[in-house]
């Protein structure tokens, strides 16, 4: 009988970003007080789980989200570039309300191909790096559970691929990947058998106006 292995993809908590900047991979963006509380809430919610491996995007907000999990399970979070935020040529710009950044004429030159997308890292590249990361975590935690702390767009994109969706262009407002949420892949041996979703810190979330944050 094959072993059951569970890989949780956790989005980081709320970020202190009063300027409404699309921060992407920029350094210096840390969790807010609410974001820290989110991370602690998730760690408490999964404390009884069989988590034996912990990986994180190297960005500050992700490593800070991983910290309570590391303390709970006595693990050292392993930073891995494959979990980093998707590359975006618009990072550093002010987003404004909703998707206002898409309506700014200065940005039109980036939007010629939303299927790629032309303003950032291509979806197939995101899928490939996230798939290899999930596979490595599954092997490391075989028969147990692992947590991978990442970002909204990489998590949502690998989920779409895992569910067999053929088109990856989507409305960022429709992503099911809230702050500090868990997207859970369950494997029977090497075979993915289910994809789940939960928000242990959902009551603390105010939502994020930053696409892909």
């Amino acid at each position: 009988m094959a072993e059951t292995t569970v890989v949780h993809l956790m989005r980081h908590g709320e970020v202190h970003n009063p300027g409404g900047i699309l921060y992407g991979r920029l350094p210096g963006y840390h969790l807010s007080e609410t974001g820290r509380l989110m991370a602690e809430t998730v760690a408490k919610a999964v404390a009884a789980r069989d988590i034996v491996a912990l990986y994180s995007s190297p960005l500050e907000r992700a490593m800070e989200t991983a910290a309570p999990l590391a303390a709970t399970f006595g693990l050292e979070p392993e930073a891995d570039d494959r979990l980093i935020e998707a590359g975006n040529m618009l990072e550093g710009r002010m987003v404004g309300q909703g998707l206002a950044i898409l309506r700014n004429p200065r940005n039109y030159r980036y939007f010629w191909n939303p299927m790629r997308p032309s303003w950032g890292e291509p979806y197939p590249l995101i899928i490939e790096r996230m798939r290899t990361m999930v596979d490595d975590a599954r092997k490391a935690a075989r028969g147990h559970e692992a947590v991978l702390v990442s970002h909204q767009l990489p998590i949502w994109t690998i989920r779409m691929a895992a569910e067999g969706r053929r088109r990856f262009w989507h409305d960022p407002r429709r992503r099911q990947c809230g702050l500090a949420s868990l997207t859970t892949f369950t494997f029977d041996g090497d075979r993915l058998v289910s994809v789940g979703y939960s928000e242990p810190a959902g009551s603390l979330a105010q939502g994020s106006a930053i696409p892909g944050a």
Side-chain angles (χ1 to χ4, degrees), residues 101-160:
I101 195 170
L102 304 181
R103 297 190 291 270
N104 187 331
R106 292 176 54 202
N107 300 327
Y108 287 173
R109 60 194 171 116
Y110 298 112
F111 303 143
W112 56 271
N113 183 3
M115 303 297 292
R116 185 181 183 269
S118 51
W119 56 85
E121 184 179 7
Y123 294 123
L125 295 185
I126 298 174
I127 292 167
E128 180 58 25
R129 64 177 169 89
M130 290 294 287
R131 178 179 286 131
T132 62
M133 184 72 249
V134 170
D135 284 347
D136 285 352
R138 174 180 53 79
K139 293 171 185 174
R142 194 172 187 89
H144 304 279
E145 302 185 30
V147 176
L148 281 57
V149 183
S150 187
H151 307 267
Q152 189 188 68
L153 181 55
I155 293 172
W156 181 244
T157 304
I158 189 61
R159 175 179 170 177
M160 287 196 296

Side-chain angles (χ1 to χ4, degrees), residues 8 10-11 14 25 41 48 61-62 64 70 72 86 99 102-103 107 109 120 141 143 156 158 163 184 195-197 199:
H8 305 279
M10 181 179 178
R11 185 184 173 192
E14 182 185 88
R25 296 178 177 179
T41 299
R61 59 192 185 271
E64 291 165 2
T72 298
L99 297 180
L102 304 181
R103 297 190 291 270
N107 300 327
R109 60 194 171 116
W156 181 244
I158 189 61
E163 292 178 338
T184 300
V195 178
Y197 178 78
E199 295 186 1

Side-chain angles (χ1 to χ4, degrees), residues 1 7 22 28 41 51 81 84 88-90 94 99 103 106 125 127 130 144-145 154 159-160 168 171 176 200 210:
M1 183 176 178
V7 178
L22 180 63
T41 299
I51 293 169
D81 286 341
I84 202 166
N88 194 317
M89 288 182 246
L90 298 169
M94 186 175 292
L99 297 180
R103 297 190 291 270
R106 292 176 54 202
L125 295 185
I127 292 167
M130 290 294 287
H144 304 279
E145 302 185 30
R159 175 179 170 177
M160 287 196 296
F168 299 107
D171 184 338
Q176 188 185 41
I210 312 300

Side-chain angles (χ1 to χ4, degrees), residues 24-41:
R25 296 178 177 179
L26 295 175
Y29 285 88
H30 299 268
L31 293 183
S32 65
E33 289 300 321
T34 298
R36 292 188 180 91
L37 183 56
M38 286 176 171
E40 292 167 3
T41 299

